[in-house]
Amino acid sequence: MDIVINLLIWIHIIAFVAGGSNSVVGPVIGARLASATPEQRTGYFGVMNTLSQIGKIAMVTLLVTGPLVMFLKYGGFGGASIWFWLKMALVALMLGTVIYGGILFKRSQAGDAAAGKRAGVVHRVTSLAYLGVLLTAVFAFS
């Protein structure tokens, strides 16, 4: 059983890194969109759409593997610390900002400049939540 749990943790970490790549790459691309040529915008939006799909798969993977690990390794959520619950609050914030940011990004892609600016702010909130999830996970599981 330990091998299964360790593989689930490994998958969980890979999904966290894959999903978190959006938090690093997204703001870099977003900053370039305003001054990009139409051809460049098309390329940037293509990269962001691909990252968005990877992020969605990563989020689903995290939402499946996390509870599985908690039940298989710890017998459930009963003994979870305050750090774990803070982590879960940040996960909920991330999920909300990812969904809202995706909506704004699609509007931005359709030419709504105001949505693009709001998406940039939402993306920064997502990035901060991502860092908070990582920090609280260290305290929750160490």
Side-chain angles (χ1 to χ4, degrees):
M1 186 57 93
D2 286 342
I3 291 173
V4 171
I5 293 168
N6 287 339
L7 288 173
L8 285 170
I9 293 169
W10 177 70
I11 292 168
H12 194 77
I13 292 169
I14 289 172
F16 191 74
V17 170
S21 67
N22 292 337
S23 296
V24 175
V25 177
V28 172
I29 292 174
R32 293 179 184 342
L33 281 172
S35 62
T37 66
E39 295 81 23
Q40 289 171 326
R41 287 178 64 81
T42 300
Y44 288 147
F45 280 130
V47 170
M48 289 301 293
N49 285 329
T50 300
L51 287 174
S52 176
Q53 291 304 314
I54 291 168
K56 289 174 188 172
I57 293 166
M59 184 62 82
V60 169
T61 302
L62 290 165
L63 293 173
V64 170
T65 57
L68 276 173
V69 169
M70 287 300 291
F71 280 98
L72 293 174
K73 185 169 180 140
Y74 302 106
F77 298 102
S81 70
I82 188 69
W83 289 106
F84 175 81
W85 293 112
L86 181 56
K87 173 186 165 293
M88 295 312 297
L90 291 167
V91 166
L93 174 64
M94 272 185 68
L95 184 57
T97 58
V98 164
I99 292 168
Y100 185 54
I103 292 167
L104 291 173
F105 181 71
K106 289 296 181 189
R107 290 181 186 165
S108 172
Q109 232 175 332
D112 184 343
K117 289 180 183 176
R118 283 194 312 275
V121 171
V122 170
H123 205 87
R124 284 190 284 280
V125 172
T126 305
S127 296
L128 289 173
Y130 175 80
L131 291 173
V133 167
L134 183 57
L135 178 65
T136 54
V138 168
F139 284 98
F141 296 106
S142 60

